[in-house]
Amino acid sequence: MTEFLVEKNEEEELPIPQVWRPIFKNIIKAFVNKDYKLSSGVNHVNPVSDETAEQIQEYIEEYGAELVDLPEETWDTSVYICYGDYWNVLIDLFTKNEGLSDLVLHTEVREKDNDYVVDIYLIYVP
């Protein structure tokens, strides 16, 4: 299996690095459980504002499908690109009836204290 490492490549989109994948799995697991504020906490993720949590909930409800935990196929199509001091990340989401859906999770990842921290921005249809 190919190991995908974090790269500061500002020229092309790359597959999600292995080191970030558990973080995104935990974020989506919380969303599957309708915890849009991540009130239980997710390691390496900054708190989600009330406004962002409400927007995420509304977009998922308007989409009209039930999110499911991220399967391995998520990593086949999800991407990131470096923008100087952070990475812009798009995670493809799956639903119960569709499998791969049109929904994506948009986040930014930054380095902090020799580790990574995720800021959640939105779930939407690009």
Side-chain angles (χ1 to χ4, degrees), residues 30-45:
F31 290 170
V32 165
N33 293 319
K34 302 192 183 331
D35 180 8
Y36 305 109
K37 277 193 58 73
L38 305 181
S39 56
S40 301
V42 174
N43 288 336
H44 307 287
V45 181

Side-chain angles (χ1 to χ4, degrees), residues 2-124:
T2 304
E3 170 122 14
F4 297 104
L5 302 174
V6 178
E7 294 183 36
K8 291 189 176 181
N9 184 332
E10 296 184 25
E11 302 298 319
E12 60 185 337
E13 294 179 334
L14 298 170
I16 305 301
Q18 265 84 3
V19 68
W20 296 350
R21 293 179 183 190
I23 301 168
F24 291 114
K25 283 182 168 267
N26 289 332
I27 291 168
I28 298 307
K29 182 176 287 301
F31 290 170
V32 165
N33 293 319
K34 302 192 183 331
D35 180 8
Y36 305 109
K37 277 193 58 73
L38 305 181
S39 56
S40 301
V42 174
N43 288 336
H44 307 287
V45 181
N46 282 327
V48 177
S49 72
D50 290 340
E51 180 182 352
T52 298
E54 287 172 20
Q55 286 178 326
I56 289 171
Q57 181 177 356
E58 286 174 17
Y59 276 55
I60 292 170
E61 288 173 357
E62 286 175 12
Y63 188 76
E66 183 181 341
L67 282 184
V68 296
D69 290 336
L70 294 180
E72 280 305 306
E73 300 93 272
T74 297
W75 313 123
D76 296 340
T77 54
S78 299
V79 294
Y80 78 104
I81 191 166
C82 186
Y83 287 139
D85 63 345
Y86 71 93
W87 295 272
N88 191 54
V89 180
L90 294 175
I91 303 293
D92 289 325
L93 303 180
F94 284 68
T95 64
K96 187 174 184 179
N97 292 331
E98 295 176 293
L100 178 61
S101 74
D102 292 331
L103 292 170
V104 296
L105 169 66
H106 173 219
T107 71
E108 290 180 0
V109 177
R110 288 178 170 71
E111 288 180 289
K112 182 179 178 186
D113 302 327
N114 296 319
D115 213 338
Y116 299 100
V117 65
V118 175
D119 287 305
I120 296 172
Y121 285 97
L122 200 52
I123 285 180
Y124 66 97

